[in-house]
Amino acid sequence: MALKSCVSTSYRHLVESGILPMAAMRNYFNLEEITTARKISAAVINISGRQRMLSQRTAFFCMRLVCSQNGVERAKLRGNLLEAIELMEKSHRDLINTESSINLLSAPSATVKAMYFEAPLYLDKQIREYIDRIKALVQVPDSELRLENPHLLYIVEAASGELLEAFDAVVSQYQQESEIEQFELDLKQVELYQESCAATAKAEAQAAQLDRALCELKQTQAQLLHSEKMSSLGALMASIVHEINNPVSFIYGNLSHAEIYTQDLLHLLRLYREYYPNPSPEIQAQIEEMDLDFLVEDLPKVMSSMQIGSDRIREIVKSMGNFSRTDNSNMTLCDLEDSIDSTVLILRNRLNSQIGRREIQVVKSYAKLPTVECYAGQLNQVFMNIISNAIDALDEAAENQPNAALKISISTELAGSDRVRVRIADTGSGMTAQIKERMFEQFFTTKEIGKGTGLGLSIVYKILVENHGGTLRCESEPSKGTEFIIELPVQQS
């Protein structure tokens, strides 16, 4: 009867507080999945909206915690509540402190700040009080959980009353400011369009300059397309590295301790077996059931395999971090070996054996080179395009000659006291003289429709020659493969 009364009372509270619709959807939404998806978005409206959702979700969890008679379920609900309020705290800090983790372009407006810290909303104070109440409720022993608990009453009332209204007001304000900002951007686009129309009219009047204007437009279009692609790839990889680096570091840092602890326990076990060779029948039965000898032999191997795996993951994370450098505003000192290795690792999946093609072998020969002053992100684009083209050439060679050698050779060397040279060669089908003459032209490609744009090598040439004062040569003959030779100055003048 007590349980029935509790459920009936809780139902009434859920109806009155407006939380019941969320309970009907609990089988379709997962809190962790929602918060993970929200973290991906950099929109402030989504984050503030998530705060609103979390306030109602935590109120629902609090009601279930009080009404549940199952100790296991209550323990799980306490954990869910702690996770949820931790997310609320983090999102709240991000919003009021404009941390870079959510990619805010500017600080909150004066109106939004007033909503958080001034009358009549005092949202910052309300949120902190709400979180403190939930923390207090989580600490209440199971035997003392009641529907009349003052913390629970405050939580339910806040989630359906003032706190909910404050969240709605802030989300509405963010939306209004976003619409205003979008309107300003639209106006700017109109202005840019008008300027473009004026420039077009002037270009039409100046027929003598038409060819030059079209050429510049084509170059700009090609550069923008490729830069946007590489920038998006770099941003994605930087985000992935950021998300997985901390848990990987945690695992990597603790494996050494786990191995020491394991060795200590195994040593202690050996001592027990040496000084107490005749255990009780129960212990002997357990030893036989778990195959202790095999466990003692295999456990160090398991730890070693885990260490190797974590080392490999750290290498991949490091390479992805190196490759994701896309800041082209300032030149930095770059280790060419690291850039090449990172690019090869990113392309590892394409180098592995495929259906109808063996694995492509990559042979590296590095000389001891000084660091090179360059735009690191742009050089990554260069290596990515050239090595990708080499893989494409080897794919084509494998289709025509299944037994053909599939190898990419990469070497570095000094080309004088102030220059370095990088050679990237493949054992593909090579190129004719006619193709070599046009290979750096924009939009020229020998690949099938949908597999190439003809932008890659033209942009590679622009990056090396125009942006870095280097050179790019190609040596190739039909059936003898292709080699690209890159030379770069160590320091930019």
mmCIF file with all atom_site columns, all heavy atoms in Angstrom, residues 369-383:
data_model
loop_
_atom_site.group_PDB
_atom_site.id
_atom_site.type_symbol
_atom_site.label_atom_id
_atom_site.label_alt_id
_atom_site.label_comp_id
_atom_site.label_asym_id
_atom_site.label_entity_id
_atom_site.label_seq_id
_atom_site.pdbx_PDB_ins_code
_atom_site.Cartn_x
_atom_site.Cartn_y
_atom_site.Cartn_z
_atom_site.occupancy
_atom_site.B_iso_or_equiv
_atom_site.pdbx_formal_charge
_atom_site.auth_seq_id
_atom_site.auth_comp_id
_atom_site.auth_asym_id
_atom_site.auth_atom_id
_atom_site.pdbx_PDB_model_num
ATOM 1   N N   . LEU A 1 369 ? 67.841 16.373 -41.243 1.00 0.00 ? 369 LEU A N   1
ATOM 2   C CA  . LEU A 1 369 ? 67.542 17.696 -41.799 1.00 0.00 ? 369 LEU A CA  1
ATOM 3   C C   . LEU A 1 369 ? 67.274 18.699 -40.685 1.00 0.00 ? 369 LEU A C   1
ATOM 4   O O   . LEU A 1 369 ? 66.767 18.334 -39.618 1.00 0.00 ? 369 LEU A O   1
ATOM 5   C CB  . LEU A 1 369 ? 66.315 17.626 -42.713 1.00 0.00 ? 369 LEU A CB  1
ATOM 6   C CG  . LEU A 1 369 ? 66.378 16.720 -43.944 1.00 0.00 ? 369 LEU A CG  1
ATOM 7   C CD1 . LEU A 1 369 ? 65.070 16.805 -44.707 1.00 0.00 ? 369 LEU A CD1 1
ATOM 8   C CD2 . LEU A 1 369 ? 67.550 17.095 -44.830 1.00 0.00 ? 369 LEU A CD2 1
ATOM 9   N N   . PRO A 1 370 ? 67.560 19.969 -40.937 1.00 0.00 ? 370 PRO A N   1
ATOM 10  C CA  . PRO A 1 370 ? 67.142 21.006 -39.982 1.00 0.00 ? 370 PRO A CA  1
ATOM 11  C C   . PRO A 1 370 ? 65.637 21.242 -40.099 1.00 0.00 ? 370 PRO A C   1
ATOM 12  O O   . PRO A 1 370 ? 65.001 20.849 -41.082 1.00 0.00 ? 370 PRO A O   1
ATOM 13  C CB  . PRO A 1 370 ? 67.932 22.235 -40.435 1.00 0.00 ? 370 PRO A CB  1
ATOM 14  C CG  . PRO A 1 370 ? 68.132 22.022 -41.908 1.00 0.00 ? 370 PRO A CG  1
ATOM 15  C CD  . PRO A 1 370 ? 68.298 20.532 -42.087 1.00 0.00 ? 370 PRO A CD  1
ATOM 16  N N   . THR A 1 371 ? 65.070 21.866 -39.087 1.00 0.00 ? 371 THR A N   1
ATOM 17  C CA  . THR A 1 371 ? 63.665 22.245 -39.190 1.00 0.00 ? 371 THR A CA  1
ATOM 18  C C   . THR A 1 371 ? 63.512 23.324 -40.259 1.00 0.00 ? 371 THR A C   1
ATOM 19  O O   . THR A 1 371 ? 64.404 24.150 -40.466 1.00 0.00 ? 371 THR A O   1
ATOM 20  C CB  . THR A 1 371 ? 63.127 22.765 -37.849 1.00 0.00 ? 371 THR A CB  1
ATOM 21  O OG1 . THR A 1 371 ? 63.973 23.825 -37.381 1.00 0.00 ? 371 THR A OG1 1
ATOM 22  C CG2 . THR A 1 371 ? 63.090 21.654 -36.812 1.00 0.00 ? 371 THR A CG2 1
ATOM 23  N N   . VAL A 1 372 ? 62.365 23.314 -40.921 1.00 0.00 ? 372 VAL A N   1
ATOM 24  C CA  . VAL A 1 372 ? 62.130 24.217 -42.051 1.00 0.00 ? 372 VAL A CA  1
ATOM 25  C C   . VAL A 1 372 ? 61.083 25.249 -41.666 1.00 0.00 ? 372 VAL A C   1
ATOM 26  O O   . VAL A 1 372 ? 60.039 24.913 -41.086 1.00 0.00 ? 372 VAL A O   1
ATOM 27  C CB  . VAL A 1 372 ? 61.653 23.418 -43.283 1.00 0.00 ? 372 VAL A CB  1
ATOM 28  C CG1 . VAL A 1 372 ? 61.305 24.366 -44.433 1.00 0.00 ? 372 VAL A CG1 1
ATOM 29  C CG2 . VAL A 1 372 ? 62.728 22.431 -43.722 1.00 0.00 ? 372 VAL A CG2 1
ATOM 30  N N   . GLU A 1 373 ? 61.357 26.505 -41.972 1.00 0.00 ? 373 GLU A N   1
ATOM 31  C CA  . GLU A 1 373 ? 60.392 27.577 -41.716 1.00 0.00 ? 373 GLU A CA  1
ATOM 32  C C   . GLU A 1 373 ? 59.322 27.540 -42.805 1.00 0.00 ? 373 GLU A C   1
ATOM 33  O O   . GLU A 1 373 ? 59.624 27.702 -43.990 1.00 0.00 ? 373 GLU A O   1
ATOM 34  C CB  . GLU A 1 373 ? 61.099 28.928 -41.701 1.00 0.00 ? 373 GLU A CB  1
ATOM 35  C CG  . GLU A 1 373 ? 60.180 30.093 -41.322 1.00 0.00 ? 373 GLU A CG  1
ATOM 36  C CD  . GLU A 1 373 ? 60.898 31.427 -41.330 1.00 0.00 ? 373 GLU A CD  1
ATOM 37  O OE1 . GLU A 1 373 ? 62.048 31.486 -41.809 1.00 0.00 ? 373 GLU A OE1 1
ATOM 38  O OE2 . GLU A 1 373 ? 60.297 32.415 -40.873 1.00 0.00 ? 373 GLU A OE2 1
ATOM 39  N N   . CYS A 1 374 ? 58.066 27.318 -42.410 1.00 0.00 ? 374 CYS A N   1
ATOM 40  C CA  . CYS A 1 374 ? 57.019 27.123 -43.417 1.00 0.00 ? 374 CYS A CA  1
ATOM 41  C C   . CYS A 1 374 ? 55.645 27.266 -42.776 1.00 0.00 ? 374 CYS A C   1
ATOM 42  O O   . CYS A 1 374 ? 55.515 27.431 -41.566 1.00 0.00 ? 374 CYS A O   1
ATOM 43  C CB  . CYS A 1 374 ? 57.135 25.735 -44.046 1.00 0.00 ? 374 CYS A CB  1
ATOM 44  S SG  . CYS A 1 374 ? 56.886 24.407 -42.831 1.00 0.00 ? 374 CYS A SG  1
ATOM 45  N N   . TYR A 1 375 ? 54.625 27.185 -43.630 1.00 0.00 ? 375 TYR A N   1
ATOM 46  C CA  . TYR A 1 375 ? 53.253 27.033 -43.168 1.00 0.00 ? 375 TYR A CA  1
ATOM 47  C C   . TYR A 1 375 ? 53.003 25.535 -43.033 1.00 0.00 ? 375 TYR A C   1
ATOM 48  O O   . TYR A 1 375 ? 52.822 24.830 -44.043 1.00 0.00 ? 375 TYR A O   1
ATOM 49  C CB  . TYR A 1 375 ? 52.268 27.655 -44.155 1.00 0.00 ? 375 TYR A CB  1
ATOM 50  C CG  . TYR A 1 375 ? 52.430 29.139 -44.361 1.00 0.00 ? 375 TYR A CG  1
ATOM 51  C CD1 . TYR A 1 375 ? 52.874 29.649 -45.585 1.00 0.00 ? 375 TYR A CD1 1
ATOM 52  C CD2 . TYR A 1 375 ? 52.147 30.035 -43.332 1.00 0.00 ? 375 TYR A CD2 1
ATOM 53  C CE1 . TYR A 1 375 ? 53.018 31.016 -45.773 1.00 0.00 ? 375 TYR A CE1 1
ATOM 54  C CE2 . TYR A 1 375 ? 52.284 31.392 -43.515 1.00 0.00 ? 375 TYR A CE2 1
ATOM 55  C CZ  . TYR A 1 375 ? 52.727 31.893 -44.733 1.00 0.00 ? 375 TYR A CZ  1
ATOM 56  O OH  . TYR A 1 375 ? 52.873 33.246 -44.911 1.00 0.00 ? 375 TYR A OH  1
ATOM 57  N N   . ALA A 1 376 ? 52.991 25.038 -41.804 1.00 0.00 ? 376 ALA A N   1
ATOM 58  C CA  . ALA A 1 376 ? 52.940 23.590 -41.586 1.00 0.00 ? 376 ALA A CA  1
ATOM 59  C C   . ALA A 1 376 ? 51.686 22.955 -42.189 1.00 0.00 ? 376 ALA A C   1
ATOM 60  O O   . ALA A 1 376 ? 51.749 21.879 -42.799 1.00 0.00 ? 376 ALA A O   1
ATOM 61  C CB  . ALA A 1 376 ? 53.007 23.286 -40.083 1.00 0.00 ? 376 ALA A CB  1
ATOM 62  N N   . GLY A 1 377 ? 50.546 23.613 -42.031 1.00 0.00 ? 377 GLY A N   1
ATOM 63  C CA  . GLY A 1 377 ? 49.311 23.057 -42.566 1.00 0.00 ? 377 GLY A CA  1
ATOM 64  C C   . GLY A 1 377 ? 49.353 22.938 -44.081 1.00 0.00 ? 377 GLY A C   1
ATOM 65  O O   . GLY A 1 377 ? 48.868 21.963 -44.658 1.00 0.00 ? 377 GLY A O   1
ATOM 66  N N   . GLN A 1 378 ? 49.965 23.935 -44.754 1.00 0.00 ? 378 GLN A N   1
ATOM 67  C CA  . GLN A 1 378 ? 50.043 23.880 -46.210 1.00 0.00 ? 378 GLN A CA  1
ATOM 68  C C   . GLN A 1 378 ? 50.968 22.756 -46.673 1.00 0.00 ? 378 GLN A C   1
ATOM 69  O O   . GLN A 1 378 ? 50.680 22.072 -47.666 1.00 0.00 ? 378 GLN A O   1
ATOM 70  C CB  . GLN A 1 378 ? 50.524 25.226 -46.755 1.00 0.00 ? 378 GLN A CB  1
ATOM 71  C CG  . GLN A 1 378 ? 49.519 26.347 -46.576 1.00 0.00 ? 378 GLN A CG  1
ATOM 72  C CD  . GLN A 1 378 ? 49.951 27.624 -47.274 1.00 0.00 ? 378 GLN A CD  1
ATOM 73  O OE1 . GLN A 1 378 ? 50.937 27.652 -48.009 1.00 0.00 ? 378 GLN A OE1 1
ATOM 74  N NE2 . GLN A 1 378 ? 49.208 28.703 -47.039 1.00 0.00 ? 378 GLN A NE2 1
ATOM 75  N N   . LEU A 1 379 ? 52.083 22.549 -45.966 1.00 0.00 ? 379 LEU A N   1
ATOM 76  C CA  . LEU A 1 379 ? 52.968 21.447 -46.347 1.00 0.00 ? 379 LEU A CA  1
ATOM 77  C C   . LEU A 1 379 ? 52.281 20.101 -46.174 1.00 0.00 ? 379 LEU A C   1
ATOM 78  O O   . LEU A 1 379 ? 52.501 19.166 -46.955 1.00 0.00 ? 379 LEU A O   1
ATOM 79  C CB  . LEU A 1 379 ? 54.246 21.490 -45.515 1.00 0.00 ? 379 LEU A CB  1
ATOM 80  C CG  . LEU A 1 379 ? 55.364 22.397 -46.018 1.00 0.00 ? 379 LEU A CG  1
ATOM 81  C CD1 . LEU A 1 379 ? 56.664 22.095 -45.303 1.00 0.00 ? 379 LEU A CD1 1
ATOM 82  C CD2 . LEU A 1 379 ? 55.565 22.279 -47.517 1.00 0.00 ? 379 LEU A CD2 1
ATOM 83  N N   . ASN A 1 380 ? 51.446 19.975 -45.137 1.00 0.00 ? 380 ASN A N   1
ATOM 84  C CA  . ASN A 1 380 ? 50.675 18.745 -44.976 1.00 0.00 ? 380 ASN A CA  1
ATOM 85  C C   . ASN A 1 380 ? 49.775 18.512 -46.192 1.00 0.00 ? 380 ASN A C   1
ATOM 86  O O   . ASN A 1 380 ? 49.592 17.372 -46.636 1.00 0.00 ? 380 ASN A O   1
ATOM 87  C CB  . ASN A 1 380 ? 49.830 18.808 -43.703 1.00 0.00 ? 380 ASN A CB  1
ATOM 88  C CG  . ASN A 1 380 ? 50.660 18.643 -42.449 1.00 0.00 ? 380 ASN A CG  1
ATOM 89  O OD1 . ASN A 1 380 ? 51.754 18.095 -42.485 1.00 0.00 ? 380 ASN A OD1 1
ATOM 90  N ND2 . ASN A 1 380 ? 50.161 19.145 -41.331 1.00 0.00 ? 380 ASN A ND2 1
ATOM 91  N N   . GLN A 1 381 ? 49.191 19.604 -46.735 1.00 0.00 ? 381 GLN A N   1
ATOM 92  C CA  . GLN A 1 381 ? 48.378 19.476 -47.938 1.00 0.00 ? 381 GLN A CA  1
ATOM 93  C C   . GLN A 1 381 ? 49.211 18.967 -49.114 1.00 0.00 ? 381 GLN A C   1
ATOM 94  O O   . GLN A 1 381 ? 48.761 18.123 -49.896 1.00 0.00 ? 381 GLN A O   1
ATOM 95  C CB  . GLN A 1 381 ? 47.770 20.832 -48.308 1.00 0.00 ? 381 GLN A CB  1
ATOM 96  C CG  . GLN A 1 381 ? 46.793 21.389 -47.290 1.00 0.00 ? 381 GLN A CG  1
ATOM 97  C CD  . GLN A 1 381 ? 46.236 22.733 -47.739 1.00 0.00 ? 381 GLN A CD  1
ATOM 98  O OE1 . GLN A 1 381 ? 46.022 22.955 -48.914 1.00 0.00 ? 381 GLN A OE1 1
ATOM 99  N NE2 . GLN A 1 381 ? 46.021 23.631 -46.795 1.00 0.00 ? 381 GLN A NE2 1
ATOM 100 N N   . VAL A 1 382 ? 50.444 19.472 -49.232 1.00 0.00 ? 382 VAL A N   1
ATOM 101 C CA  . VAL A 1 382 ? 51.324 19.055 -50.322 1.00 0.00 ? 382 VAL A CA  1
ATOM 102 C C   . VAL A 1 382 ? 51.587 17.556 -50.258 1.00 0.00 ? 382 VAL A C   1
ATOM 103 O O   . VAL A 1 382 ? 51.417 16.822 -51.237 1.00 0.00 ? 382 VAL A O   1
ATOM 104 C CB  . VAL A 1 382 ? 52.647 19.845 -50.274 1.00 0.00 ? 382 VAL A CB  1
ATOM 105 C CG1 . VAL A 1 382 ? 53.675 19.234 -51.224 1.00 0.00 ? 382 VAL A CG1 1
ATOM 106 C CG2 . VAL A 1 382 ? 52.406 21.305 -50.624 1.00 0.00 ? 382 VAL A CG2 1
ATOM 107 N N   . PHE A 1 383 ? 52.031 17.081 -49.079 1.00 0.00 ? 383 PHE A N   1
ATOM 108 C CA  . PHE A 1 383 ? 52.351 15.652 -48.942 1.00 0.00 ? 383 PHE A CA  1
ATOM 109 C C   . PHE A 1 383 ? 51.104 14.794 -49.122 1.00 0.00 ? 383 PHE A C   1
ATOM 110 O O   . PHE A 1 383 ? 51.166 13.711 -49.717 1.00 0.00 ? 383 PHE A O   1
ATOM 111 C CB  . PHE A 1 383 ? 52.990 15.405 -47.575 1.00 0.00 ? 383 PHE A CB  1
ATOM 112 C CG  . PHE A 1 383 ? 54.314 16.101 -47.385 1.00 0.00 ? 383 PHE A CG  1
ATOM 113 C CD1 . PHE A 1 383 ? 54.615 16.760 -46.193 1.00 0.00 ? 383 PHE A CD1 1
ATOM 114 C CD2 . PHE A 1 383 ? 55.246 16.125 -48.406 1.00 0.00 ? 383 PHE A CD2 1
ATOM 115 C CE1 . PHE A 1 383 ? 55.823 17.406 -46.028 1.00 0.00 ? 383 PHE A CE1 1
ATOM 116 C CE2 . PHE A 1 383 ? 56.477 16.776 -48.249 1.00 0.00 ? 383 PHE A CE2 1
ATOM 117 C CZ  . PHE A 1 383 ? 56.755 17.418 -47.055 1.00 0.00 ? 383 PHE A CZ  1
#
